[in-house]
Amino acid sequence: MHTLQTRPRRDFRDTLTAWLFLLPWVIGFVLFSGLPILACFGISLTDWNLIQTPKIIGFKNYIALLNTGSGFFNSLKVTLLYTVFSVIVTVVWALFTAMLLNMKKKLNGIFQFFYFIPAVIPTVSLAFAFQIIFNQHTGILNYLLAILGVKSQPNWLFDLQWVLPSVIFVTIYTYATGQMMLIFKAGLADVPKELYEAADIDGAGFFQKFSHITLPSISPILLFNMVTACIGSLNNSFSLLFPLTNGGPNDATNVLSLSIYNNAFGNYRMGYASALSVVLFLIAAVLALLQFTLSKKWVYYET
């Protein structure tokens, strides 16, 4: 009887303790994520230039987005293209390098160290470094092409044909790729070696073991990296593209995050910029939801 009376109290204390540990995160989320999101939606319903009093105009900013002259659809197209291809490139490259590290060859620690160094360099510094590398006349990339006999070197960051592939290539050296590499490396180390040994006995080749053992075993980690890479690409593209191309040439790299900045602090259209921010938030939510929904068909969890 005494045990029955004290058990609810113990459960209450455990629940209270758990909430106390979660409280700092909850407070931080409410103050720095939840409330700003609600405030952003509220501002998107106004006409505000940061000087005068905001004027409520309803959904006119969202209607203005649909205007063909607003540039919204171009920014949306560029954002989706940049996000899709940057996620594919960074995830594939991170998995590839993690598999190389997992082979446990000599000097792997040095390779991991030197690969991860660019990942911890500030994005702005990285962008300016690649501005020099991609320079048409003095860049080292075109210098190497000239040595190889290529007579016509591209103007990488000012050519409509090359600028988007160039900036997607640069994402390989960002923090997200190095972080994903370490996460993949930890996941690959936990794949049971007995599965590979059994596959060797059956005569399975590298690609068979990769598709039937490696990928299913690390599929939850692959999903995590894909979702974080997608959200990171949408939110962090500004810090890379603003110093690298500033949305040019001819708005070829003018992603939504750049458009938000230019409208908010260039044209002082805070309401319109907030509407763009809400749209960007919805895109990130929809893409994450889509990935989680599709993951039910290819992600395998241990039971």
Side-chain angles (χ1 to χ4, degrees):
M1 186 69 178
H2 178 71
T3 305
L4 293 177
Q5 290 178 348
T6 57
R7 183 172 180 180
R9 295 182 179 178
R10 188 182 304 112
D11 292 341
F12 173 77
R13 287 198 301 269
D14 292 342
T15 302
L16 181 62
T17 302
W19 276 107
L20 288 175
F21 277 108
L22 287 173
L23 191 60
W25 181 89
V26 173
I27 294 174
F29 175 80
V30 171
L31 292 179
F32 301 109
S33 295
L35 291 179
I37 290 173
L38 294 177
C40 181
F41 178 72
I43 295 173
S44 72
L45 303 178
T46 67
D47 180 14
W48 185 32
N49 61 2
L50 289 176
I51 299 176
Q52 299 175 343
T53 304
K55 178 183 177 182
I56 298 177
I57 59 174
F59 291 93
K60 289 185 179 180
N61 285 320
Y62 294 94
I63 297 174
L65 292 178
L66 304 179
N67 190 327
T68 54
S70 65
F72 167 72
F73 291 105
N74 175 71
S75 294
L76 179 62
K77 180 188 71 173
V78 173
T79 299
L80 294 178
L81 285 174
Y82 174 81
T83 300
V84 170
F85 285 104
S86 65
V87 168
I88 293 174
V89 168
T90 54
V91 171
V92 170
W93 181 254
L95 179 58
F96 172 73
T97 52
M99 292 180 66
L100 290 179
L101 290 174
N102 198 50
M103 292 180 180
K104 296 181 179 180
K105 301 295 182 179
K106 291 183 179 180
L107 304 179
N108 265 9
I110 297 177
F111 170 78
Q112 177 176 314
F113 172 76
F114 280 106
Y115 178 78
F116 200 74
I117 282 180
V120 297
I121 294 176
T123 307
V124 175
S125 301
L126 180 72
F128 282 118
F130 272 96
Q131 269 191 342
I132 299 173
I133 293 173
F134 285 136
N135 188 280
Q136 184 180 19
H137 303 291
T138 60
I140 188 173
L141 181 57
N142 281 347
Y143 175 75
L144 294 175
L145 290 177
I147 292 177
L148 295 174
V150 179
K151 295 182 179 180
S152 178
Q153 292 88 26
N155 193 1
W156 299 96
L157 298 179
F158 294 92
D159 190 323
L160 291 175
Q161 182 180 0
W162 289 105
V163 62
L164 197 57
S166 299
V167 297
I168 290 173
F169 171 78
V170 176
T171 59
I172 291 177
Y173 298 95
T174 56
Y175 170 76
T177 310
Q179 185 184 43
M180 287 191 292
M181 178 190 69
L182 297 181
I183 295 174
F184 275 133
K185 181 176 180 292
L188 290 170
D190 290 336
V191 178
K193 301 298 185 292
E194 296 81 5
L195 298 178
Y196 293 113
E197 294 172 356
D200 289 332
I201 295 174
D202 292 336
F206 171 80
F207 291 103
Q208 290 176 314
K209 290 188 288 186
F210 178 75
S211 59
H212 295 289
I213 297 176
T214 304
L215 280 182
S217 298
I218 66 170
S219 56
I221 296 175
L222 180 60
L223 173 64
F224 172 80
N225 279 338
M226 287 177 61
V227 173
T228 54
C230 181
I231 296 175
S233 177
L234 289 170
N235 294 334
N236 301 327
S237 56
F238 171 83
S239 59
L240 177 67
L241 295 178
F242 179 72
L244 192 60
T245 65
N246 196 21
N250 197 25
D251 289 338
T253 57
N254 189 32
V255 293
L256 283 174
S257 57
L258 267 173
S259 184
I260 292 169
Y261 173 82
N262 290 328
N263 278 282
F265 302 107
N267 301 326
Y268 300 104
R269 301 172 65 191
M270 294 301 298
Y272 186 83
S274 296
L276 286 172
S277 300
V278 172
V279 172
L280 183 61
F281 171 78
L282 293 176
I283 291 174
V286 169
L287 289 179
L289 180 62
L290 181 63
Q291 290 181 86
F292 279 114
T293 302
L294 296 177
S295 69
K296 297 177 182 178
K297 298 181 179 180
W298 60 272
V299 175
Y300 303 92
Y301 297 98
E302 294 183 5
T303 57

